[in-house]
Amino acid sequence: MARSALLNVMVQAAFKAGKSLSRDFGEVQNLQVSLKGPGDYVSQADRKAEKLIREELLKARPTYGFLGEESKEIIGTDGAHRWIVDPLDGTTNFLHGIPHFAISIALERQGEIACAVILNPATDELYTAERGGGAFLNDRRLRVAARKSLSDAVIATGTPHLGHGNHGTYLVEQRHVMGEVAGMRCLGAASLNLAYVAAGRVDGYWERGLSSWDIAAGMLLIREAGGWVTDLDGGNKSMEDGTIVAGNEYIRKALQEVVRRPIPGK
């Protein structure tokens, strides 16, 4: 597949940070970890990876803005472009030696995601997309799964943890969904949940309480793979409200309807 110069810059940045994460993952028991909040860990690996990515991206495009999970936002002089980066999505998996984590890099152009890269350094799986150019896993073109019925579908989600999210709301939503689907998966990395929808590995995905760096790249992957992504109200405000529901045209709509069933007592 042919990649634009910008996408090549993003891929190079992801691989550079990926090598650093892979080294740290190999010594995960020795990592020094600080606590950002209850159950929300950030390691030296996060910060080091983000620094590598930021330096690589801003060296190539010094006028672009930069929004990363672990550092203060940089407002670019360009005004039209911004990098949106999660240097280590799936930190808890990483710290427990589970090889399911990712680097997520998106390029936002005038409010729309134009390019996307998601890399799992533990598996060497590289997901890329450019607006209007399709989505790819390594060099293989991606398409979302074609299943039309929730009863045949495997659905991914993310579970709220200690100190985060509305546990009661999630448990009701999970109960509603699990009664309609063939299976549910909680994999621990939002970017890879979205990438798996794009690859047809899971049929749909929903979650609340997300940040823009969790989902920016994965949203473009799904759309370029022929899928649909909305917020839980069916709109286009996932980056603002932190909710998401995704799948092909049929699964996304059906999943949204199930998730939005009235919660008893509300």
Side-chain angles (χ1 to χ4, degrees):
M1 58 166 286
R3 296 182 185 138
S4 70
L6 276 173
L7 188 58
N8 277 326
V9 166
M10 296 165 69
V11 169
Q12 289 167 11
F15 274 118
K16 189 170 184 178
K19 288 179 181 177
S20 176
L21 288 180
S22 292
R23 287 192 296 269
D24 286 334
F25 186 64
E27 300 178 4
V28 68
Q29 298 301 324
N30 299 320
L31 285 178
Q32 295 179 20
V33 179
S34 61
L35 200 62
K36 284 199 299 191
D40 190 6
Y41 298 98
V42 58
S43 69
Q44 291 180 357
D46 287 55
R47 294 187 289 269
K48 183 165 57 175
E50 183 166 309
K51 183 174 183 290
L52 288 169
I53 294 167
R54 184 174 63 248
E55 289 174 349
E56 196 77 10
L57 296 178
L58 295 182
K59 179 174 67 176
R61 295 294 188 276
T63 63
Y64 288 12
F66 184 94
L67 175 64
E69 181 178 12
E70 303 301 339
S71 60
K72 185 177 179 180
E73 182 175 3
I74 298 170
I75 306 299
T77 57
D78 171 278
H81 295 85
R82 179 173 65 159
W83 305 109
I84 303 175
V85 174
D86 190 340
L88 177 50
D89 182 30
T91 307
T92 302
N93 283 349
F94 183 88
L95 292 173
H96 285 79
I98 300 170
H100 190 81
F101 56 89
I103 295 161
S104 177
I105 305 174
L107 174 63
E108 184 182 53
R109 178 181 294 131
Q110 295 180 331
E112 298 287 340
I113 304 303
C115 300
V117 169
I118 295 174
L119 172 68
N120 182 344
T123 61
D124 287 325
E125 289 191 327
L126 174 69
Y127 298 86
T128 58
E130 294 188 80
R131 194 173 182 191
F136 296 84
L137 169 52
N138 297 331
D139 290 324
R140 180 174 62 84
R141 187 74 175 255
L142 297 180
R143 294 294 297 178
V144 295
R147 296 177 187 89
K148 295 183 179 181
S149 172
L150 282 180
S151 62
D152 298 323
V154 171
I155 302 298
T157 188
T159 55
H161 52 85
L162 177 66
H164 287 260
N166 187 321
H167 294 204
T169 295
Y170 170 75
L171 288 171
V172 173
E173 290 176 351
Q174 184 186 51
R175 186 176 69 202
H176 288 163
V177 174
M178 67 192 298
E180 302 284 345
V181 302
M184 291 179 61
R185 301 292 182 267
C186 299
L187 302 173
S191 63
L192 289 176
N193 283 337
L194 291 163
Y196 277 24
V197 173
R201 291 176 174 176
V202 297
D203 299 280
Y205 165 57
W206 100 93
E207 191 167 349
R208 296 177 182 267
L210 297 164
S211 298
S212 56
W213 48 76
D214 295 318
I215 59 178
M219 289 170 63
L220 182 64
L221 278 172
I222 290 175
R223 287 168 177 156
E224 289 299 319
W228 292 64
V229 185
T230 67
D231 57 44
L232 285 180
D233 291 326
N236 196 32
K237 294 184 177 179
S238 291
M239 297 273 282
E240 291 79 30
D241 76 5
T243 70
I244 199 163
V245 57
N248 64 30
E249 179 182 3
Y250 306 98
I251 295 296
R252 190 220 61 82
K253 184 175 185 296
L255 181 58
Q256 179 196 2
E257 290 174 354
V258 172
V259 170
R260 283 177 53 81
R261 284 178 185 167
I263 297 173
K266 288 193 175 184

